[in-house]
Amino acid sequence: MRRSTIVSFAAAILTGLSAATAGACDDLRMARGGVVTEVVDGDTVILDSGLVVRMIGTQAPKLPLGREGYPTWPLAPEAKTELENLALNKTVMLGYGGEEKDRYDRALAHVFVEEGGDAIWAQQHMVENGLARVYSFPDNRKCLDQLFAAEARARVERLGIWTDPYYSVRAADRPADLLDRVGDYELVEGRVLVAERSGSRVYLNFGRFYKEDFTAVIEAPALRLFAADGFDPLMLENAFVRIRGWVDDRDGPRIEITHPEQIEVLARQ
């Protein structure tokens, strides 16, 4: 691909994104990707340069990929097939909006597929078809509003993963069920009974017995991100929220919040 073609393609992508996403993605650092030669799973591709690209902002159902004893998540083969149909053997551009490499030396990027002169945002495509969910990081927070909107549509329309109980949104007032999901990435909904600061942390308690009930914990580094966004988590008391993250077991089931996008406010008091 000649440089003039690359520049034109990047400009077309940015123009399309500005129209489609109300400017939320127009400040990505765009870079040439290349041709997708392999789709590893529903959120990872390999380019003709050998670069492995982890599609930031999403988590598709996982395949074992050689990991002994690792289960195939429901709809993982379907997610891989969908991404193959979208991107395999096609030219892509990469959009960077935060940390650009992970510890495995994979590129962390938004992927835009050239399709008949247009650019298809692969992450949004997978999420809106119910074959991935939003999965964000404190050092990569671009374009999430559009992905949340796509996920909400897919969930309402019961597409893909949203028909399978494995991916159900969990109830915060059923801590025993959450203990069965320790080590898993989950979406949990419920009303915050108490929001309080203790030392350098903020605790969002969803039950009256904090050693047994579900809790979301916000550590000091995350609180700095909340402050920068003008988001005071102590104001969440009595709000109905959706929390997403990895469930662990420390005095009952809990999720650590590392950045504000892990909390969606569904209703105030």
Side-chain angles (χ1 to χ4, degrees), residues 128-146:
E128 70 187 3
N129 283 282
L131 291 170
R133 53 188 172 180
V134 180
Y135 179 48
S136 57
F137 296 87
D139 56 7
N140 245 306
R141 301 168 62 197
K142 298 288 187 184
C143 309
L144 293 176
D145 285 350
Q146 282 64 42

Side-chain angles (χ1 to χ4, degrees), residues 43-57:
D43 56 36
T44 308
V45 299
I46 301 176
L47 306 184
D48 55 349
S49 63
L51 182 67
V52 180
V53 183
R54 173 65 172 86
M55 290 165 47
I56 197 67

Side-chain angles (χ1 to χ4, degrees), residues 194-267:
V194 177
E196 61 182 358
R197 182 184 291 271
S198 178
S200 62
R201 301 180 180 90
V202 166
Y203 293 92
L204 306 179
N205 295 316
F206 290 79
R208 300 190 182 282
F209 304 102
Y210 73 90
K211 286 186 175 292
E212 301 175 8
D213 291 316
F214 175 65
T215 304
V217 182
I218 310 173
E219 301 279 359
L223 288 174
R224 289 192 285 272
L225 296 179
F226 277 80
D229 284 2
F231 183 172
D232 182 1
L234 294 177
M235 299 300 292
L236 292 174
E237 189 161 303
N238 294 317
F240 193 81
V241 301
R242 181 184 302 124
I243 304 286
R244 65 183 67 218
W246 295 94
V247 179
D248 62 33
D249 180 9
R250 299 185 190 180
D251 293 328
R254 67 168 214 165
I255 287 176
E256 181 180 347
I257 305 297
T258 63
H259 55 292
E261 286 80 5
Q262 284 178 261
I263 302 175
E264 297 171 80
V265 180
L266 305 180

